[in-house]
């Protein structure tokens, strides 16, 4: 940990319990209703254990992470101001993000509300670990933009594979696996869903960690330039499989999270 910053983690925090049966129950609800985003958060809390703290320590081991913690930027109100983002150049990260959020009917504040509707012991502590957890949540839709994975069910599942490679977490991996399994039940074999999910995981491994980036500094820059700088590869297998599913009229494509 850098000597220039001391993370404030409440000493009363307890490691979340590992509850696989609870995670399975929440997964069944998510499968039944892919719009029930609350189940995603509950699955992650049931399975991730102390992964958040480990990932936060990795964040603080990087110079970029230290810089972001020192600023402690709260992203939702900035990202929800679409006017300034629309004024950015065509093809920029910020403008692409605003167009994406409006097209999908999403707001950063909406995701905050969904994450905070349930009781959660770890949210009782207003410390830097909570700030980091919020940052992971608040950059989710930005990761969609940077990686090229859509909000269809296959895109969400593959994005979670990318995210797991970057940040870890058994809960994330479980949703990634189960999402792919459900899609594989209806997809043609030629779509090769397993290869699509593997592509997402591999892309996450080779890319620079998105969570460590200065998100606000990326907004005015050209999306393609940022992807190249962060070594984010084209999601070719995902795009091919999604096109095949759409051509076949198969609809595991509703937004999942």
């Amino acid at each position: 940990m850098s000597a220039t910053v001391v993370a404030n983690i409440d000493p009363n925090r307890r490691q979340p319990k590992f509850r696989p049966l609870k995670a399975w129950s929440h997964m069944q609800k998510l499968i039944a209703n892919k719009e029930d985003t609350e189940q995603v958060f509950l699955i992650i809390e049931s399975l991730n254990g102390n992964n958040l703290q480990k990932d936060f320590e990795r964040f603080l081991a990087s110079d970029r992470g230290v810089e972001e913690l020192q600023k402690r930027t709260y992203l939702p109100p900035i990202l929800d101001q679409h006017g300034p983002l629309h004024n950015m150049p065509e093809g920029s990260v910020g403008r692409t993000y605003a167009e994406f959020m409006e097209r999908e009917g999403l707001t950063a504040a909406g995701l905050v509300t969904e994450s905070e509707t349930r009781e959660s012991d770890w949210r009782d502590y207003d410390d830097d670990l909570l700030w980091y957890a919020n940052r992971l949540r608040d950059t989710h839709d930005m990761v969609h933009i940077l990686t090229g994975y859509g909000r269809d069910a296959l895109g969400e599942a593959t994005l979670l594979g990318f995210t797991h490679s970057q940040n870890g977490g058994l809960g994330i991996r479980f949703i990634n696996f189960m999402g792919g399994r459900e899609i594989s039940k209806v997809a043609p074999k030629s779509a090769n869903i397993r290869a699509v999910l593997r592509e997402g995981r591999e892309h996450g491994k080779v890319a620079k960690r998105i969570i460590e980036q200065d998100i606000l500094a990326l907004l005015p820059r050209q999306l393609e330039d940022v992807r190249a700088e962060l070594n984010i590869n084209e999601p070719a297998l995902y795009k091919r499989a999604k096109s095949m599913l759409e051509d076949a009229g198969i609809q595991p494509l509703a937004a999942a999270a």
Side-chain angles (χ1 to χ4, degrees):
M1 187 178 298
S2 170
T4 62
V5 62
V6 176
N8 169 35
I9 299 179
D10 196 298
N12 294 315
R13 276 193 178 276
R14 292 176 294 178
Q15 181 175 320
K17 294 181 180 179
F18 183 67
R19 296 173 173 170
L21 293 179
K22 184 177 180 182
W24 181 257
S25 174
H26 291 305
M27 175 58 70
Q28 299 313 302
K29 294 178 183 178
L30 181 61
I31 291 172
N33 178 11
K34 295 181 178 64
E35 296 286 354
D36 190 357
T37 308
E38 181 182 3
Q39 303 307 320
V40 173
F41 295 112
L42 291 169
I43 292 167
I44 291 171
E45 289 181 17
S46 298
L47 294 180
N48 269 15
N50 67 344
N51 181 78
L52 179 64
Q53 173 126 13
K54 289 182 177 179
D55 191 47
F56 184 47
E57 291 170 356
R58 183 182 175 192
F59 178 81
L60 291 179
S62 69
D63 291 338
R64 286 182 178 270
V66 168
E67 291 173 4
E68 292 308 304
L69 179 63
Q70 288 174 324
K71 290 184 289 187
R72 289 175 174 79
T73 304
Y74 184 58
L75 293 169
I78 301 172
L79 295 177
D80 277 344
Q81 293 183 34
H82 288 181
L85 300 182
H86 278 298
N87 290 332
M88 291 179 179
E90 184 176 355
S92 64
V93 173
R95 185 164 168 179
T96 303
Y97 174 84
E99 293 169 349
F100 170 84
M101 297 296 279
E102 291 169 5
R103 185 171 62 250
E104 298 292 335
L106 302 172
T107 64
L111 188 57
V112 172
T113 298
E114 289 180 4
S115 72
E116 295 180 350
T117 55
R118 72 209 183 284
E119 292 185 3
S120 178
D121 291 342
W122 67 270
R123 284 199 167 273
D124 291 339
Y125 304 99
D126 186 12
D127 58 9
D128 289 338
L129 195 59
L130 177 61
W131 172 85
Y132 186 67
N134 289 341
R135 182 178 174 85
L136 288 166
R137 175 199 64 199
D138 299 335
T139 53
H140 174 79
D141 289 311
M142 183 60 67
V143 177
H144 273 292
I145 298 302
L146 296 176
T147 61
Y149 292 112
R151 286 191 71 245
D152 56 279
L154 180 59
E156 288 286 4
T158 311
L159 182 78
L160 290 176
F162 181 100
T163 302
H164 178 262
S165 292
Q166 293 237 316
N167 307 118
L170 182 58
I172 296 290
R173 182 70 181 93
F174 180 52
I175 302 170
N176 162 249
F177 170 79
M178 290 297 293
R181 185 178 129 177
E182 290 299 307
I183 296 168
S184 294
K185 291 178 181 179
V186 296
K189 289 185 178 180
S190 55
N192 202 345
I193 300 302
R194 290 181 64 183
V196 175
L197 298 179
R198 184 166 59 249
E199 175 188 67
R201 294 193 298 272
E202 291 173 351
H203 285 190
K205 289 177 182 178
V206 301
K208 294 180 181 177
R209 293 235 300 167
I210 293 175
I211 194 65
E212 295 172 4
Q213 307 306 312
D214 183 342
I215 300 299
L216 301 186
L218 298 182
L219 294 176
R221 297 182 56 195
Q222 286 295 298
L223 176 58
E224 292 306 316
D225 292 343
V226 172
R227 285 174 173 169
E229 181 179 297
L230 299 184
N231 199 30
I232 298 174
N233 294 319
E234 177 75 10
L237 295 184
Y238 158 70
K239 289 183 176 180
R240 171 182 172 275
K242 183 174 183 290
S243 179
M244 293 178 67
L245 290 168
E246 291 171 340
D247 290 345
I250 298 171
Q251 293 296 324
L253 300 173

